[in-house]
Amino acid sequence: MPTKKSWKVFWDLQCPYSRANWRNIRALKERFGSEYDFTIHLTSLVFHPQAFTAQCGASLIESHSGRDMMFKYVDACFENQELYMNAALGDAKKSEIDSVFADIAEKAGVFDDGNFSKQVFLQQLHDWEKAVKPAYTEHKIALGYGVYGTPKQVIDDKLVPETESAWGPDEWANKLKSL
């Protein structure tokens, strides 16, 4: 059985174009999953000021509850993206922004009755070891591939140029022929 090629997808949780790509990722995995091993990576673009806090939330959830729970949060972030866009938050304080992401995590059902609650999320959202360092480490992965915007696709360790965020399986099938 031949080895699958890698397909890395890079998203910014505040990016509306990443949200468009997120809407199609299941269809892409269904169509190309037998040939490609898909992995999702989060990063944050400098002009999306809430993106790094959102990404720290994802890292924190992953450290407490695993990658599946993290993806429940990622889904909830994209479903509720309008709550933390710049226009929605205006000149909000950092604690108000943190509360928005805690509410999204709560809606996603990532908290448990044990050690991980909404209060713990808020206390640890900016903790270096549990949230910030893992988010920063993933951000450096994006930089290593030359990811300068989102969403970006890296196939077989090569950044794929000239793609569109809303592409579905048919558009990707055409693009893959040219690689």
Side-chain angles (χ1 to χ4, degrees):
M1 183 170 177
T3 305
K4 291 183 181 182
K5 297 176 185 178
S6 68
W7 187 328
K8 295 171 181 69
V9 181
F10 291 86
W11 290 335
D12 171 310
L13 292 173
Q14 193 179 349
C15 177
Y17 300 108
S18 289
R19 183 181 187 187
N21 185 248
W22 164 78
R23 287 184 175 130
N24 290 325
I25 198 67
R26 278 194 190 98
L28 295 176
K29 286 179 176 182
E30 286 174 18
R31 174 94 172 257
F32 304 110
S34 63
E35 299 172 62
Y36 295 91
D37 182 23
F38 284 82
T39 55
I40 305 297
H41 298 272
L42 300 179
T43 191
S44 50
L45 302 175
V46 68
F47 50 86
H48 289 150
Q50 286 72 249
F52 191 69
T53 302
Q55 185 180 353
C56 286
S59 294
L60 180 62
I61 291 165
E62 184 175 18
S63 75
H64 273 278
S65 306
R67 199 140 174 95
D68 289 343
M69 274 303 180
M70 183 204 76
F71 279 116
K72 285 181 73 173
Y73 169 78
V74 167
D75 290 345
C77 281
F78 280 130
E79 289 164 0
N80 295 280
Q81 193 179 62
E82 71 283 349
L83 297 176
Y84 57 92
M85 296 301 278
N86 297 346
L89 292 175
D91 196 20
K93 292 188 282 185
K94 186 176 181 178
S95 61
E96 295 168 330
I97 294 167
D98 292 354
S99 290
V100 168
F101 290 110
D103 290 344
I104 289 171
E106 186 174 48
K107 285 180 194 174
V110 301
F111 302 131
D112 58 40
D113 296 330
N115 298 326
F116 193 46
S117 64
K118 188 175 185 177
Q119 182 179 358
V120 170
F121 179 90
L122 287 167
Q123 289 169 344
Q124 296 180 353
L125 184 57
H126 300 287
D127 179 273
W128 174 255
E129 290 297 326
K130 293 180 180 171
V132 177
K133 184 178 179 182
Y136 177 54
T137 299
E138 193 155 24
H139 182 72
K140 289 189 291 186
I141 293 168
L143 294 175
Y145 284 110
V147 171
Y148 55 88
T150 58
K152 292 294 179 200
Q153 320 285 323
V154 173
I155 298 177
D156 266 354
D157 292 328
K158 294 180 189 92
L159 184 63
V160 180
E162 301 173 19
T163 64
E164 293 293 330
S165 55
W167 279 2
D170 292 339
E171 293 88 356
W172 270 104
N174 288 332
K175 183 66 174 182
L176 292 171
K177 289 176 191 173
S178 71
L179 299 181

